[in-house]
Amino acid sequence: VASSAKSVERLMAELRRLPGVGERTAERLAYHLLAGTRKEARDLAQAILDACERVRACGVCFHLDESDPCRFCADAGRDGTVLLVVEDPRDVHAFEAAGFRGRYHVLQGRIAPLEGIGPTDLTLAALARRVAAGGIREVCVATSPDLEGEATAAHVRELLEGKTVAVTRIARGIPAGASIRHAQMTILADALAGRRPL
Amino acid sequence: VASSAKSVERLMAELRRLPGVGERTAERLAYHLLAGTRKEARDLAQAILDACERVRACGVCFHLDESDPCRFCADAGRDGTVLLVVEDPRDVHAFEAAGFRGRYHVLQGRIAPLEGIGPTDLTLAALARRVAAGGIREVCVATSPDLEGEATAAHVRELLEGKTVAVTRIARGIPAGASIRHAQMTILADALAGRRPL
């Protein structure tokens, strides 16, 4: 699209850096933003700048919030003895919606050698310091049950080995509402292996 | 996701207004922009603001460009007797890439009653004025060959009825490179109806 104006080319290039946005989508979004009164475009730009300005990683748990410590670390009513270790701030919202009321630790990613992400790229040292500071009874690792999530969980287990803290892992099994008949073999194997007294 | 910070909620709401962006995608994009150094986020916001500032609709053809008249209207080397009527600035780039070297007229949309878009929402009055001003031999309507594109083409034909200008329509037929065997019935019917001497 060499015939676009320079500033439109640059806008498309910036949009293309977003996850899941290819050349066609970038072009569609750019011209969508430039159509009409552009109020929507300016509002979006301002929302990006405002969020960048106001939101920071919590100094305790690394969740993204407008306050530091974040709303969850500042909330005295929560159970500080249980720490839920998650990959991403979005996972905090998911577990919050699921009813968890302990404290969080956001790793800011997961160990993914193929993407060049190693243990030192995560907030693991801070996690070790939080546990060493005491008061925590259980660390539950809530990374995704896939290859990288399991590798990250194994790393957390090793990191906290010998510490006086229980390290647990969220349950794998058949998801609530799912049909046994349509579940994958590996999911059924997990559900069997994790069976509990009825 | 009520547990997100206010400015993140607002950013997600703005992102959700983009075409093809649902709740999940908005959340993913927002946290992507807030991860790391945020240089990418600030660059995107700046690119949006710059494009809004610099790009405007050409006063002659309504193409979006940084100059007015746009690069195509200002280019004296083009054939001013043929006017290609398109829906969108992106179509200008597509026909430019395909080798068209006449002049353009961007309708800024198409007649779509279901979306509340009527003839007066398009740049049809300006098109009639350009034709009335003279010097144009042919107006070729290059709206998409679908229901709304055809309705828009029919409207242009009526608009220019009685004017001393040839009104043409881009050819419908089987696309270059396609296989006859896998083409839809309606496409083959178009290809037959539009057959030409070999």
Side-chain angles (χ1 to χ4, degrees):
Chain A
V1 212
S3 49
S4 281
K6 270 215 170 58
S7 57
V8 181
E9 291 284 343
R10 209 192 117 217
L11 175 54
M12 289 194 277
E14 292 295 339
L15 288 165
R16 262 202 299 277
R17 298 172 69 182
L18 295 172
V21 175
E23 200 168 325
R24 274 301 174 92
T25 305
E27 193 188 29
R28 187 160 50 98
L29 293 177
Y31 280 101
H32 171 86
L33 288 169
L34 290 171
T37 64
R38 286 129 188 240
K39 184 184 180 307
E40 184 182 335
R42 291 196 182 89
D43 285 351
L44 172 59
Q46 199 52 55
I48 294 170
L49 294 173
D50 284 352
C52 282
E53 173 80 21
R54 289 181 202 166
V55 173
R56 63 204 67 244
C58 170
V60 180
C61 76
F62 297 90
H63 182 54
L64 293 176
D65 204 347
E66 292 181 8
S67 55
D68 181 10
C70 75
R71 68 190 67 192
F72 303 117
C73 288
D75 179 1
R78 303 180 77 93
D79 181 1
T81 67
V82 183
L83 208 61
L84 196 68
V85 176
V86 297
E87 296 175 12
D88 189 285
R90 285 172 289 175
D91 303 331
V92 170
H93 302 145
F95 279 108
E96 198 62 18
F100 181 72
R101 291 296 179 269
R103 298 206 188 271
Y104 295 98
H105 190 85
V106 179
L107 292 176
Q108 294 187 332
R110 66 240 209 98
I111 298 172
L114 292 176
E115 298 161 41
I117 302 169
T120 54
D121 297 309
L122 309 180
T123 64
L124 288 162
L127 174 62
R129 280 195 300 274
R130 286 182 79 179
V131 170
I136 296 167
R137 186 174 47 80
E138 178 185 351
V139 171
C140 177
V141 186
T143 53
S144 291
D146 55 16
L147 203 68
E148 284 136 354
E150 294 296 355
T152 308
H155 193 91
V156 171
R157 195 191 59 226
E158 282 162 36
L159 180 79
L160 301 179
E161 216 151 53
K163 301 282 193 301
T164 54
V165 70
V167 181
T168 59
R169 182 86 173 99
I170 46 163
R172 285 163 59 156
I174 185 155
S179 146
I180 295 275
R181 214 171 315 146
H182 300 109
Q184 285 181 2
M185 201 175 54
T186 48
I187 291 174
L188 291 184
D190 276 344
L192 262 182
R195 66 189 181 276
R196 298 189 302 181
L198 191 63
Chain B
V1 212
S3 48
S4 281
K6 270 215 171 59
S7 56
V8 182
E9 290 285 342
R10 208 192 118 215
L11 175 54
M12 288 194 279
E14 292 295 338
L15 288 165
R16 261 201 300 276
R17 297 171 69 182
L18 295 173
V21 175
E23 199 167 326
R24 274 301 174 94
T25 305
E27 193 188 29
R28 188 161 48 98
L29 293 176
Y31 281 103
H32 171 86
L33 288 169
L34 291 172
T37 64
R38 285 127 188 239
K39 183 183 181 308
E40 184 183 334
R42 292 198 182 88
D43 285 352
L44 173 59
Q46 199 52 56
I48 294 170
L49 294 173
D50 284 353
C52 282
E53 173 79 19
R54 290 182 202 166
V55 174
R56 64 205 67 243
C58 170
V60 180
C61 78
F62 297 91
H63 182 53
L64 293 175
D65 204 347
E66 292 181 7
S67 55
D68 180 10
C70 75
R71 68 192 65 192
F72 304 116
C73 288
D75 178 1
R78 303 181 77 95
D79 180 2
T81 68
V82 183
L83 207 60
L84 196 68
V85 176
V86 297
E87 296 176 12
D88 189 286
R90 285 172 290 175
D91 302 332
V92 170
H93 302 144
F95 279 107
E96 199 61 18
F100 181 74
R101 292 295 179 269
R103 299 206 187 271
Y104 295 98
H105 190 85
V106 179
L107 292 176
Q108 295 188 330
R110 67 239 209 98
I111 298 172
L114 292 177
E115 298 162 40
I117 303 169
T120 54
D121 297 309
L122 309 181
T123 64
L124 287 162
L127 174 62
R129 280 196 300 273
R130 286 182 80 178
V131 170
I136 297 167
R137 184 175 48 79
E138 178 186 350
V139 171
C140 177
V141 185
T143 53
S144 291
D146 54 17
L147 202 68
E148 284 133 354
E150 293 297 356
T152 308
H155 193 92
V156 172
R157 195 191 58 228
E158 284 163 36
L159 181 79
L160 301 179
E161 217 150 51
K163 302 282 193 303
T164 56
V165 70
V167 181
T168 59
R169 181 85 173 98
I170 46 163
R172 285 162 59 153
I174 185 156
S179 147
I180 295 274
R181 214 171 316 144
H182 299 110
Q184 285 182 4
M185 201 176 54
T186 50
I187 291 173
L188 292 184
D190 277 343
L192 262 182
R195 65 190 182 276
R196 298 188 305 181
L198 190 64

